[in-house]
């Protein structure tokens, strides 16, 4: 008999989503606007504490609009963490600006404040800094915000992976001048695809909605004085989001429980470390990850690699995933600069990539699934 597939992270639906969709059909609001879109924005504002929100077609679209609104253009420099998904950086290149990649620190795996300081020495006036809260772990926001403020450079928070993660009592996504969330299929809540841009400045979210709907001037005729996009969230999609948001806290609690289960299950294996959580944070634990200690070997003296563990899991029909490959190592971004915390120092991002992997973190996984995953990983050591 074929073994059941155990997933990394996939959608978990509850039923209310369909109610909101049905309402949209019944009232014929099948369009990139409508009551679900407006309500989802309001509900996200209430959940995150963000002042204002603009619902969009994707997290990537939200990052793109954030950069457009901050005036990022040709020849501008934008600081971007290296250890992240390519979508964090792609919009920088859409606008023909130049990303400069910043190394990670070990405490949270996110943008290193020391490396950021060094980047400012080399490039004193970037147009923006993008920070990411990788796998749901809050970045060192106090330090990063202080550095940005010193230089008068706006911070964009890519909170695509960290909806529900709280840093010192406040939601990630609400610290930067602009924050963005993603509702892609494997995120902590999903709308199948979607995103949101948030800001305390209503002018910014209004501008986002304007640009997302083809930048149509308020004139009788179809008049345009700026280039716009078709980036608005649909009323159907927003319905899914409203249903999902009702279960956000439940999803977060289950994700955190998965993390703790792994942490306990591997506590007696010194060669395994779980991904760090922020000591000042209440992280959503979107994906639980682990790293293998340098030089860890099997009893037969073979070096233990992430590939070895991923292969062992795949044999049991369990999905896992490498850590994001650092962007400064990507062929498409090879021409751009990369800054570490100290001159000539080895890259922390590269080291995490070399020794790490993402473990199955789907909230529907059963105790038996968890047992199989844990047994399989332990069996590699
Ligand atoms: C998923 C993700 C995005 C992109 O969001 P989409 O909604 O898929 O466009 C951006 N940044 C990070 C860090 C992500 O994980």
């Amino acid at each position: 008999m074929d073994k059941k597939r155990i997933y990394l992270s996939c959608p978990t639906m509850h039923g209310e989503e369909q109610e909101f969709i049905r309402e949209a059909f019944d009232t014929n609001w099948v369009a990139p606007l409508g009551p679900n879109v407006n309500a989802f924005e309001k509900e996200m504002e209430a959940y995150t504490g963000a002042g204002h929100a603009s619902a969009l077609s994707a997290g990537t679209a939200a990052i793109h609009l954030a950069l457009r609104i901050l005036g990022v253009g040709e020849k501008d420099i934008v600081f971007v963490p290296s250890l992240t998904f390519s979508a964090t950086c792609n919009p920088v290149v859409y606008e023909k600006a130049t990303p400069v990649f910043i190394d990670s620190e070990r405490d949270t795996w996110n943008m290193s404040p020391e490396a950021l300081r060094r980047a400012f020495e080399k490039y004193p006036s970037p147009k923006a800094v993008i920070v990411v809260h990788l796998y749901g772990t809050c970045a060192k926001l106090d330090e990063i915000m202080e550095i940005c403020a010193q230089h008068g450079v706006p911070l964009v928070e890519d909170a695509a992976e960290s909806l529900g993660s709280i840093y010192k009592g406040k939601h990630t996504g609400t610290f930067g001048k602009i924050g963005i969330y993603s509702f892609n299929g494997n995120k902590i809540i999903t709308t199948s695809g979607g995103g949101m841009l948030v800001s305390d400045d209503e002018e910014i979210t209004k501008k986002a909605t304007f640009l997302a709907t083809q930048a149509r001037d308020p004139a009788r005729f179809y008049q345009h004085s700026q280039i716009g996009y078709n980036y608005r969230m649909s009323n159907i999609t927003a319905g899914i989001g409203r249903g999902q948001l009702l279960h956000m806290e439940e999803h977060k609690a289950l994700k955190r429980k998965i993390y703790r289960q792994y942490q306990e299950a591997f506590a007696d294996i010194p060669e395994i470390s779980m991904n760090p959580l922020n000591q000042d944070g209440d992280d959503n634990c979107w994906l639980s990850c682990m790293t293998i200690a340098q030089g860890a070997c099997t009893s037969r003296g073979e070096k233990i690699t992430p590939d070895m563990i991923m292969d062992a899991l795949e044999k049991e029909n369990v999905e896992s995933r490498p850590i994001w490959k650092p962007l400064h190592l990507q062929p498409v971004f090879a021409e751009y600069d990369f800054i570490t915390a100290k001159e000539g120092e080895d890259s922390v991002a590269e080291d995490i990539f070399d020794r790490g992997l993402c473990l199955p973190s789907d909230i529907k996984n059963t105790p038996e699934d968890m047992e199989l995953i844990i047994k399989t990983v332990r069996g590699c050591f």
Side-chain angles (χ1 to χ4, degrees):
M1 205 180 77
D2 285 347
K3 280 195 192 98
K4 157 189 148 186
R5 183 80 171 156
I6 297 175
Y7 291 101
L8 186 86
S9 183
C10 67
T12 302
M13 292 293 134
H14 301 275
E16 286 98 331
E17 296 88 351
Q18 275 185 325
E19 290 302 305
F20 288 113
I21 293 176
R22 201 172 46 77
E23 221 173 277
F25 271 75
D26 289 350
T27 53
N28 206 30
W29 279 105
V30 184
L33 77 167
N36 278 336
V37 177
N38 301 338
F40 189 35
E41 288 176 346
K42 288 281 159 271
E43 288 155 9
M44 276 289 289
E45 288 164 10
Y47 176 70
T48 62
H52 304 279
S54 172
L56 302 168
S57 56
T60 312
I63 298 170
H64 190 191
L65 293 184
L67 298 179
R68 267 291 305 266
I69 290 164
L70 295 175
V72 171
E74 202 161 351
K75 303 222 163 57
D76 284 330
I77 284 173
V78 178
F79 294 161
V80 179
S82 181
L83 193 62
T84 181
F85 182 45
S86 64
T88 304
C89 186
N90 285 337
V92 175
V93 180
Y94 298 165
E95 288 304 319
K96 300 189 169 59
T98 304
V100 168
F101 296 118
I102 314 292
D103 202 9
S104 295
E105 36 79 5
R106 295 203 183 267
D107 297 340
T108 77
W109 290 7
N110 292 303
M111 178 179 267
S112 152
E114 283 71 34
L116 180 63
R117 265 188 216 106
R118 277 193 70 223
F120 270 107
E121 286 165 18
K122 190 163 175 186
Y123 304 98
S125 24
K127 196 79 175 183
V129 175
I130 306 179
V131 68
V132 176
H133 308 290
L134 207 70
Y135 302 123
T137 296
C138 302
K140 294 189 175 179
L141 280 168
D142 275 355
E143 289 92 326
I144 290 168
M145 290 205 306
E146 194 190 323
I147 298 166
C148 290
Q150 270 167 11
H151 294 268
V153 175
L155 181 69
V156 175
E157 260 187 290
D158 176 350
E161 301 180 0
S162 68
L163 178 63
S165 294
I166 292 166
Y167 179 80
K168 297 190 177 175
K170 196 166 136 104
H171 274 258
T172 56
T174 66
F175 287 84
K177 190 170 175 72
I178 302 178
I180 77 95
Y181 300 108
S182 165
F183 310 108
N184 203 341
N186 67 12
K187 298 283 154 67
I188 191 159
I189 61 169
T190 183
T191 62
S192 71
M196 194 147 320
L197 182 150
V198 298
S199 177
D200 285 337
D201 181 346
E202 192 175 10
E203 288 307 308
I204 288 179
T205 53
K206 275 190 172 155
K207 185 89 190 280
T209 303
F210 167 75
L211 290 171
T213 48
Q214 309 287 22
R216 199 178 144 193
D217 291 340
R220 174 111 189 242
F221 299 100
Y222 277 82
Q223 177 175 295
H224 306 269
S225 33
Q226 288 179 71
I227 293 295
Y229 307 89
N230 182 3
Y231 277 174
R232 194 70 163 137
M233 182 179 279
S234 97
N235 194 53
I236 304 297
T237 300
I240 306 177
R242 295 185 70 190
Q244 287 272 285
L245 194 55
L246 297 171
H247 296 271
M248 179 56 218
E249 285 309 294
E250 182 186 325
H251 285 206
K252 178 178 166 186
L254 288 167
K255 291 278 191 188
R256 288 179 60 83
K257 184 172 162 208
I258 290 169
Y259 180 93
R260 280 197 307 274
Q261 272 180 298
Y262 283 131
Q263 195 175 40
E264 280 163 27
F266 301 140
D268 63 329
I269 305 183
E271 292 94 343
I272 298 180
S273 305
M274 293 300 292
N275 61 310
L277 302 185
N278 192 316
Q279 295 311 308
D280 297 313
D282 174 28
D283 300 319
N284 74 3
C285 298
W286 170 55
L287 292 186
S288 291
C289 308
M290 58 169 274
T291 53
I292 305 159
Q294 203 90 51
C297 288
T298 65
S299 50
R300 297 183 306 283
E302 214 181 334
K303 187 180 172 210
I304 304 170
T305 63
D307 277 344
M308 195 186 273
I309 296 172
M310 286 188 282
D311 289 346
L313 288 168
E314 197 52 54
K315 267 201 198 113
E316 302 293 336
N317 207 14
V318 176
E319 185 186 11
S320 61
R321 186 199 264 179
I323 298 295
W324 299 122
K325 181 175 175 174
L327 300 187
H328 73 278
L329 300 178
Q330 301 284 356
V332 74
F333 299 129
E335 70 195 89
Y336 303 115
D337 202 1
F338 170 61
I339 312 276
T340 53
K342 288 199 188 72
E343 176 84 47
E345 193 183 62
D346 284 348
S347 156
V348 171
E350 246 171 278
D351 179 53
I352 294 166
F353 169 64
D354 285 340
R355 297 191 291 112
L357 67 141
C358 305
L359 295 165
S361 309
D362 193 80
I363 58 174
K364 294 179 295 315
N365 288 344
T366 63
E368 292 73 34
D369 296 338
M370 287 299 287
E371 206 174 299
L372 173 67
I373 299 160
I374 288 164
K375 195 182 95 199
T376 308
V377 173
R378 288 183 64 95
C380 296
F381 287 80

